[in-house]
Amino acid sequence: MAKITKVSPLAPAQFPNLPAIDGVRFATAQAGVRYAGRTDVMLAHLAPGSTMAGVFTRSTTRSAAVEDCAAKIGLESDAGAAILVNSGNANAFTGQRGFDAVMEIAKATAARLGLPAERVFTSSTGVIGEPLAWDRITAKLDDLSTALDQADAGMEAAARAIMTTDTFPKGATATADLDGTEVTIAGFAKGSGMIAPDMATMLSYIFTDTAITRDVLQQILWLENAKTFNCITVDSDTSTSDTVLVGATGRADMAPITEFTDPRVAPFRAALAQVMHDLALQIARDGEGATKLIEIQITGANGNGPAHRVAMAIANSPLVKTAVAGEDPNWGRIVMAVGKSGERAERDRLTIWFGDILVAENGWVAPSYSEESGAAYMKKDHITIRVDLGLDNGTATVWTCDLTHGYIEINADYRS
Amino acid sequence: MAKITKVSPLAPAQFPNLPAIDGVRFATAQAGVRYAGRTDVMLAHLAPGSTMAGVFTRSTTRSAAVEDCAAKIGLESDAGAAILVNSGNANAFTGQRGFDAVMEIAKATAARLGLPAERVFTSSTGVIGEPLAWDRITAKLDDLSTALDQADAGMEAAARAIMTTDTFPKGATATADLDGTEVTIAGFAKGSGMIAPDMATMLSYIFTDTAITRDVLQQILWLENAKTFNCITVDSDTSTSDTVLVGATGRADMAPITEFTDPRVAPFRAALAQVMHDLALQIARDGEGATKLIEIQITGANGNGPAHRVAMAIANSPLVKTAVAGEDPNWGRIVMAVGKSGERAERDRLTIWFGDILVAENGWVAPSYSEESGAAYMKKDHITIRVDLGLDNGTATVWTCDLTHGYIEINADYRS
């Protein structure tokens, strides 16, 4: 693996100060799965009564851990839950041995924590196609369990243990007032390459003390995932291991939310969306080799689906991404990307802006546009590209990063 | 524009020795459209009686020249034809002024050569969104016309005049025996970036002395284009200006081919396919920054369309392309790319080879595979990745190149 020691220039100044979530404890360990001298296993325990929701990669070659989580996520249980994640090895395309490894880890974790095995959710991230030394992980379960009891790891330590090519740990938090009760949401994520939708390629674990049933939590997660993690892309490549899990312990002083029509859903959903949005953008900011965050806003499309696909065509265009890297206001490449998206577009109805600078309209560069103003805008580290298609009311916003020498450095040497 | 002086390491040793095609003449000029000190305009004249066929980009933001060509290509005429191409400026997204420029060039060329304006086909390649100084081109028409009469330019000079970021001119030729008459096909192409299907992003002009009607020639071009130019990709980006024109002068000593069922279609088609395949692969070999040609062969898919889309998902994966650049036999990224293609695939039925080396099967690395043999294979400059999906009989082959620092260098600085 390439040694990437430089932190992304787009990283936040520091890891946020995340509050503890009542009913959730964390532990980490150095199991030596692949990396030496760093933590590579994270264990989270959620108290009895917690509800769990999850969304997973839609890859047809998804990993054993994802298949296992997807099979378990819809089950009802009051027993509590555990999440065990290792970095360094994705345990993907590892055949029956891969499934056996997941079973061994889940079984041993369940036994150690007094949970049924179907309440242990695992994720693995790292190299594809190599056998996972699962026994190195299970050998650490006594240490992890002891550390849980001592409550000596917080979310920052947990976030660091699941990093691969990430250059900084990613955390976010929000609160919501649910009819007089303040609830807290906090979570973390990893991801910086193999990032594209279906669902956005990454791992994220989010926790809350909100009392909410599994089905309502799952429905909210689906809806907000479509607007957050599924709207980021680094390189158009979709991982075999994408996972977002949300656990709600129900420890807040409130009657449980049991219906999607409950008026408390709106503020809870807004707060969860804020955390998911924050984590998703941190992943784009940590895109491999990134020097600029690029936000693409589409309006006037023939529906929200077409708007999303046009936005992704721009976000995944190597020529757009290299132009931004070069601080070149090359709006012709945006026209090209709209044209190749496969969605309806009419050249002469397109309007393009860099931030608030009108660039092109009526099939031609805007008379007010100057190359100097465009070039000055491109020096920012958060570039907003706006395109109105002039057709109907469809909208979408997606985020990506630029394509630089750093991406090539990281990925031409990943396994070496 | 970045100064790219190094020729692709994948370039042929030399430009092929292309035969003259009876009834076709070439001329080039230095019009100073954008570049100084090199030719940037190419004029081809086809004798009266020539038939023309063409295929064009399916971008929804295609250029004025493409729209004009597409409107003219289906017309019947015995007047002969001309093709005028400039490099340095694509005249795309240039509004009404762009259409006016095409009209001015076509009108002036037609007048100078004694042709109707609808028999003048133009192409423009280069920067998008900047006005084309068409008067610099029309000012050279007298010189071009004189040069045509002196027949002092051949196809190599023509191929050089239309280059942009190309590092070498691209030409190819073949002959066919049509029921005892030998006919000749020869042509050239440009393209090295903004290369992806719909149709493959590039310009190509191919000529033959075959006697063949417009509709039969067009049908053959469509069929062979799907297997050649539409099967290459450099960066997944589709140009606004893609054009392939084929002109047949009918000067060979033969009765014209007037039906697709004519037995002479098969050998003619095979020879044309050979020229198109050769030119298409030269474009992939000249992919911006390319150091390796990558051939992707898919078998066992759920149809040829799905096979093509799986092949393109692999060919356009930045993670696969950077792994090849790094000579890393990272077959896990191939599994990932198959999984994200959106086409049906079953993880445990996939079989993957590097050339003849069996890499993975039955959802797991092949027992016979060694990392050493994979690493040795990756040192070649023509890498073949074979994937059998194990579902049905669909097949496809596509070609691309690796993704290197050279691509970033060229494209982060294109307009500067």
Side-chain angles (χ1 to χ4, degrees), chain A residues 243-259:
Chain A
T243 297
V244 177
L245 292 175
V246 180
T249 63
R251 294 291 182 94
D253 180 22
M254 61 187 284
I257 297 171
T258 60
E259 301 286 345

Side-chain angles (χ1 to χ4, degrees), chain A residues 52-59 62-75 99 102-103 118 120-123 214 218 222 240-245:
Chain A
M52 299 290 298
V55 287
F56 307 98
T57 184
R58 278 182 275 182
S59 167
R62 60 193 194 166
S63 70
V66 167
E67 297 223 336
D68 185 58
C69 279
K72 291 171 173 174
I73 196 69
L75 304 176
F99 285 90
V102 171
M103 293 309 120
E118 63 265 28
V120 178
F121 301 89
T122 72
S123 304
R214 188 194 58 73
Q218 182 68 53
W222 272 327
T240 53
S241 306
D242 306 332
T243 297
V244 177
L245 292 175

Side-chain angles (χ1 to χ4, degrees), chain B residues 263-278:
Chain B
R264 296 172 299 174
V265 163
F268 173 71
R269 190 176 157 182
L272 180 63
Q274 183 184 325
V275 169
M276 291 171 71
H277 174 85
D278 190 340

Side-chain angles (χ1 to χ4, degrees), chain A residues 254-340:
Chain A
M254 61 187 284
I257 297 171
T258 60
E259 301 286 345
F260 191 70
T261 52
D262 188 312
R264 296 172 299 174
V265 162
F268 173 73
R269 190 175 157 181
L272 180 63
Q274 184 185 324
V275 169
M276 292 172 71
H277 174 86
D278 190 340
L279 291 173
L281 259 65
Q282 288 188 55
I283 291 172
R285 287 175 180 279
D286 202 14
E288 289 169 342
T291 67
K292 311 247 185 206
L293 180 68
I294 310 174
E295 178 168 343
I296 295 154
Q297 300 176 356
I298 305 295
T299 54
N302 219 8
N304 292 343
H308 182 79
R309 289 187 286 275
V310 171
M312 279 294 183
I314 298 171
N316 283 325
S317 162
L319 289 170
V320 170
K321 292 158 78 85
T322 48
V324 172
E327 301 189 338
D328 175 5
N330 194 327
W331 57 270
R333 294 184 183 177
I334 299 168
V335 173
M336 174 281 299
V338 171
K340 76 162 182 167

